[in-house]
PDB file of all heavy atoms in Angstrom:
ATOM      1  N   ALA A  46       1.251  43.987 -39.993  1.00 97.00           N
ATOM      2  CA  ALA A  46       0.616  44.565 -41.179  1.00 97.00           C
ATOM      3  C   ALA A  46      -0.719  43.879 -41.459  1.00 97.00           C
ATOM      4  O   ALA A  46      -1.715  44.531 -41.804  1.00 97.00           O
ATOM      5  CB  ALA A  46       1.518  44.452 -42.394  1.00 97.00           C
ATOM      6  N   PHE A  47      -0.748  42.529 -41.302  1.00 97.00           N
ATOM      7  CA  PHE A  47      -1.996  41.783 -41.521  1.00 97.00           C
ATOM      8  C   PHE A  47      -3.092  42.250 -40.582  1.00 97.00           C
ATOM      9  O   PHE A  47      -4.221  42.461 -40.988  1.00 97.00           O
ATOM     10  CB  PHE A  47      -1.690  40.303 -41.327  1.00 97.00           C
ATOM     11  CG  PHE A  47      -2.870  39.410 -41.472  1.00 97.00           C
ATOM     12  CD1 PHE A  47      -3.221  38.832 -42.709  1.00 97.00           C
ATOM     13  CD2 PHE A  47      -3.650  39.040 -40.375  1.00 97.00           C
ATOM     14  CE1 PHE A  47      -4.304  38.001 -42.855  1.00 97.00           C
ATOM     15  CE2 PHE A  47      -4.729  38.226 -40.477  1.00 97.00           C
ATOM     16  CZ  PHE A  47      -5.058  37.718 -41.738  1.00 97.00           C
ATOM     17  N   ILE A  48      -2.789  42.350 -39.320  1.00 97.00           N
ATOM     18  CA  ILE A  48      -3.779  42.767 -38.317  1.00 97.00           C
ATOM     19  C   ILE A  48      -4.221  44.201 -38.628  1.00 97.00           C
ATOM     20  O   ILE A  48      -5.435  44.479 -38.550  1.00 97.00           O
ATOM     21  CB  ILE A  48      -3.174  42.693 -36.873  1.00 97.00           C
ATOM     22  CG1 ILE A  48      -2.922  41.173 -36.548  1.00 97.00           C
ATOM     23  CG2 ILE A  48      -4.107  43.300 -35.865  1.00 97.00           C
ATOM     24  CD1 ILE A  48      -2.090  40.939 -35.326  1.00 97.00           C
ATOM     25  N   SER A  49      -3.314  45.064 -38.928  1.00 96.00           N
ATOM     26  CA  SER A  49      -3.704  46.461 -39.262  1.00 96.00           C
ATOM     27  C   SER A  49      -4.603  46.497 -40.449  1.00 96.00           C
ATOM     28  O   SER A  49      -5.591  47.254 -40.472  1.00 96.00           O
ATOM     29  CB  SER A  49      -2.496  47.321 -39.492  1.00 96.00           C
ATOM     30  OG  SER A  49      -1.710  47.421 -38.324  1.00 96.00           O
ATOM     31  N   LYS A  50      -4.352  45.732 -41.475  1.00 96.00           N
ATOM     32  CA  LYS A  50      -5.109  45.725 -42.728  1.00 96.00           C
ATOM     33  C   LYS A  50      -6.527  45.097 -42.525  1.00 96.00           C
ATOM     34  O   LYS A  50      -7.501  45.693 -42.985  1.00 96.00           O
ATOM     35  CB  LYS A  50      -4.383  44.956 -43.804  1.00 96.00           C
ATOM     36  CG  LYS A  50      -5.125  44.953 -45.138  1.00 96.00           C
ATOM     37  CD  LYS A  50      -4.293  44.315 -46.214  1.00 96.00           C
ATOM     38  CE  LYS A  50      -5.037  44.355 -47.554  1.00 96.00           C
ATOM     39  NZ  LYS A  50      -4.264  43.790 -48.624  1.00 96.00           N
ATOM     40  N   TYR A  51      -6.608  43.956 -41.902  1.00 95.00           N
ATOM     41  CA  TYR A  51      -7.864  43.243 -41.835  1.00 95.00           C
ATOM     42  C   TYR A  51      -8.628  43.386 -40.546  1.00 95.00           C
ATOM     43  O   TYR A  51      -9.844  43.129 -40.534  1.00 95.00           O
ATOM     44  CB  TYR A  51      -7.643  41.747 -42.105  1.00 95.00           C
ATOM     45  CG  TYR A  51      -7.132  41.484 -43.516  1.00 95.00           C
ATOM     46  CD1 TYR A  51      -5.809  41.186 -43.731  1.00 95.00           C
ATOM     47  CD2 TYR A  51      -7.948  41.610 -44.619  1.00 95.00           C
ATOM     48  CE1 TYR A  51      -5.287  40.935 -44.995  1.00 95.00           C
ATOM     49  CE2 TYR A  51      -7.471  41.407 -45.890  1.00 95.00           C
ATOM     50  CZ  TYR A  51      -6.167  41.036 -46.099  1.00 95.00           C
ATOM     51  OH  TYR A  51      -5.697  40.862 -47.357  1.00 95.00           O
ATOM     52  N   PHE A  52      -7.943  43.820 -39.494  1.00 94.00           N
ATOM     53  CA  PHE A  52      -8.587  43.936 -38.179  1.00 94.00           C
ATOM     54  C   PHE A  52      -8.257  45.258 -37.531  1.00 94.00           C
ATOM     55  O   PHE A  52      -8.257  45.380 -36.302  1.00 94.00           O
ATOM     56  CB  PHE A  52      -8.206  42.769 -37.305  1.00 94.00           C
ATOM     57  CG  PHE A  52      -8.587  41.414 -37.829  1.00 94.00           C
ATOM     58  CD1 PHE A  52      -7.679  40.693 -38.534  1.00 94.00           C
ATOM     59  CD2 PHE A  52      -9.840  40.934 -37.620  1.00 94.00           C
ATOM     60  CE1 PHE A  52      -8.047  39.430 -39.064  1.00 94.00           C
ATOM     61  CE2 PHE A  52     -10.238  39.685 -38.132  1.00 94.00           C
ATOM     62  CZ  PHE A  52      -9.309  38.943 -38.870  1.00 94.00           C
ATOM     63  N   GLY A  53      -7.978  46.274 -38.335  1.00 88.00           N
ATOM     64  CA  GLY A  53      -7.529  47.574 -37.853  1.00 88.00           C
ATOM     65  C   GLY A  53      -8.540  48.297 -36.963  1.00 88.00           C
ATOM     66  O   GLY A  53      -8.146  49.104 -36.113  1.00 88.00           O
ATOM     67  N   ASP A  54      -9.775  47.978 -37.126  1.00 88.00           N
ATOM     68  CA  ASP A  54     -10.828  48.590 -36.287  1.00 88.00           C
ATOM     69  C   ASP A  54     -11.016  47.899 -34.949  1.00 88.00           C
ATOM     70  O   ASP A  54     -11.847  48.313 -34.132  1.00 88.00           O
ATOM     71  CB  ASP A  54     -12.174  48.646 -37.056  1.00 88.00           C
ATOM     72  CG  ASP A  54     -12.673  47.268 -37.435  1.00 88.00           C
ATOM     73  OD1 ASP A  54     -11.862  46.301 -37.576  1.00 88.00           O
ATOM     74  OD2 ASP A  54     -13.905  47.087 -37.549  1.00 88.00           O
ATOM     75  N   LYS A  55     -10.224  46.794 -34.706  1.00 91.00           N
ATOM     76  CA  LYS A  55     -10.325  46.035 -33.469  1.00 91.00           C
ATOM     77  C   LYS A  55      -9.118  46.360 -32.601  1.00 91.00           C
ATOM     78  O   LYS A  55      -8.043  46.670 -33.105  1.00 91.00           O
ATOM     79  CB  LYS A  55     -10.429  44.560 -33.752  1.00 91.00           C
ATOM     80  CG  LYS A  55     -11.437  44.124 -34.772  1.00 91.00           C
ATOM     81  CD  LYS A  55     -12.815  44.061 -34.196  1.00 91.00           C
ATOM     82  CE  LYS A  55     -13.810  43.480 -35.142  1.00 91.00           C
ATOM     83  NZ  LYS A  55     -14.277  44.275 -36.206  1.00 91.00           N
ATOM     84  N   GLN A  56      -9.285  46.140 -31.299  1.00 94.00           N
ATOM     85  CA  GLN A  56      -8.155  46.342 -30.395  1.00 94.00           C
ATOM     86  C   GLN A  56      -7.513  45.008 -30.034  1.00 94.00           C
ATOM     87  O   GLN A  56      -8.246  44.003 -29.879  1.00 94.00           O
ATOM     88  CB  GLN A  56      -8.599  47.063 -29.112  1.00 94.00           C
ATOM     89  CG  GLN A  56      -8.940  48.498 -29.307  1.00 94.00           C
ATOM     90  CD  GLN A  56      -9.250  49.168 -27.969  1.00 94.00           C
ATOM     91  OE1 GLN A  56      -9.828  48.544 -27.109  1.00 94.00           O
ATOM     92  NE2 GLN A  56      -8.758  50.352 -27.795  1.00 94.00           N
ATOM     93  N   VAL A  57      -6.238  44.963 -29.953  1.00 96.00           N
ATOM     94  CA  VAL A  57      -5.483  43.818 -29.511  1.00 96.00           C
ATOM     95  C   VAL A  57      -5.503  43.746 -28.009  1.00 96.00           C
ATOM     96  O   VAL A  57      -5.166  44.719 -27.351  1.00 96.00           O
ATOM     97  CB  VAL A  57      -4.037  43.814 -30.077  1.00 96.00           C
ATOM     98  CG1 VAL A  57      -3.235  42.662 -29.501  1.00 96.00           C
ATOM     99  CG2 VAL A  57      -4.041  43.809 -31.581  1.00 96.00           C
ATOM    100  N   SER A  58      -5.918  42.576 -27.454  1.00 96.00           N
ATOM    101  CA  SER A  58      -5.945  42.437 -26.021  1.00 96.00           C
ATOM    102  C   SER A  58      -4.803  41.623 -25.450  1.00 96.00           C
ATOM    103  O   SER A  58      -4.407  41.783 -24.331  1.00 96.00           O
ATOM    104  CB  SER A  58      -7.258  41.871 -25.504  1.00 96.00           C
ATOM    105  OG  SER A  58      -7.458  40.551 -25.990  1.00 96.00           O
ATOM    106  N   LEU A  59      -4.241  40.690 -26.286  1.00 97.00           N
ATOM    107  CA  LEU A  59      -3.161  39.810 -25.813  1.00 97.00           C
ATOM    108  C   LEU A  59      -2.384  39.312 -27.018  1.00 97.00           C
ATOM    109  O   LEU A  59      -2.961  38.948 -28.030  1.00 97.00           O
ATOM    110  CB  LEU A  59      -3.778  38.647 -25.051  1.00 97.00           C
ATOM    111  CG  LEU A  59      -2.772  37.584 -24.530  1.00 97.00           C
ATOM    112  CD1 LEU A  59      -1.960  38.162 -23.377  1.00 97.00           C
ATOM    113  CD2 LEU A  59      -3.512  36.362 -24.038  1.00 97.00           C
ATOM    114  N   VAL A  60      -1.064  39.304 -26.871  1.00 98.00           N
ATOM    115  CA  VAL A  60      -0.154  38.722 -27.832  1.00 98.00           C
ATOM    116  C   VAL A  60       0.765  37.744 -27.082  1.00 98.00           C
ATOM    117  O   VAL A  60       1.333  38.115 -26.067  1.00 98.00           O
ATOM    118  CB  VAL A  60       0.699  39.790 -28.586  1.00 98.00           C
ATOM    119  CG1 VAL A  60       1.601  39.170 -29.622  1.00 98.00           C
ATOM    120  CG2 VAL A  60      -0.212  40.862 -29.212  1.00 98.00           C
ATOM    121  N   LYS A  61       0.864  36.546 -27.615  1.00 97.00           N
ATOM    122  CA  LYS A  61       1.654  35.518 -26.943  1.00 97.00           C
ATOM    123  C   LYS A  61       2.587  34.836 -27.943  1.00 97.00           C
ATOM    124  O   LYS A  61       2.188  34.527 -29.050  1.00 97.00           O
ATOM    125  CB  LYS A  61       0.724  34.490 -26.313  1.00 97.00           C
ATOM    126  CG  LYS A  61       1.425  33.451 -25.450  1.00 97.00           C
ATOM    127  CD  LYS A  61       0.446  32.523 -24.732  1.00 97.00           C
ATOM    128  CE  LYS A  61      -0.171  31.609 -25.775  1.00 97.00           C
ATOM    129  NZ  LYS A  61      -0.913  30.512 -25.190  1.00 97.00           N
ATOM    130  N   LYS A  62       3.830  34.717 -27.576  1.00 97.00           N
ATOM    131  CA  LYS A  62       4.798  33.951 -28.370  1.00 97.00           C
ATOM    132  C   LYS A  62       4.829  32.566 -27.816  1.00 97.00           C
ATOM    133  O   LYS A  62       5.025  32.359 -26.609  1.00 97.00           O
ATOM    134  CB  LYS A  62       6.175  34.599 -28.280  1.00 97.00           C
ATOM    135  CG  LYS A  62       7.235  33.968 -29.156  1.00 97.00           C
ATOM    136  CD  LYS A  62       8.522  34.767 -29.007  1.00 97.00           C
ATOM    137  CE  LYS A  62       9.565  34.210 -29.956  1.00 97.00           C
ATOM    138  NZ  LYS A  62      10.818  35.024 -29.898  1.00 97.00           N
ATOM    139  N   ASP A  63       4.637  31.551 -28.677  1.00 95.00           N
ATOM    140  CA  ASP A  63       4.486  30.193 -28.232  1.00 95.00           C
ATOM    141  C   ASP A  63       5.544  29.313 -28.959  1.00 95.00           C
ATOM    142  O   ASP A  63       5.557  29.317 -30.190  1.00 95.00           O
ATOM    143  CB  ASP A  63       3.108  29.687 -28.537  1.00 95.00           C
ATOM    144  CG  ASP A  63       2.800  28.290 -28.050  1.00 95.00           C
ATOM    145  OD1 ASP A  63       3.524  27.805 -27.155  1.00 95.00           O
ATOM    146  OD2 ASP A  63       1.815  27.703 -28.543  1.00 95.00           O
TER     147      ASP A  63
END
Side-chain angles (χ1 to χ4, degrees):
F47 178 89
I48 293 168
S49 296
K50 181 176 181 178
Y51 295 106
F52 300 95
D54 60 333
K55 310 282 190 282
Q56 289 185 320
V57 173
S58 64
L59 178 69
V60 181
K61 186 174 74 168
K62 184 176 183 178
D63 184 18

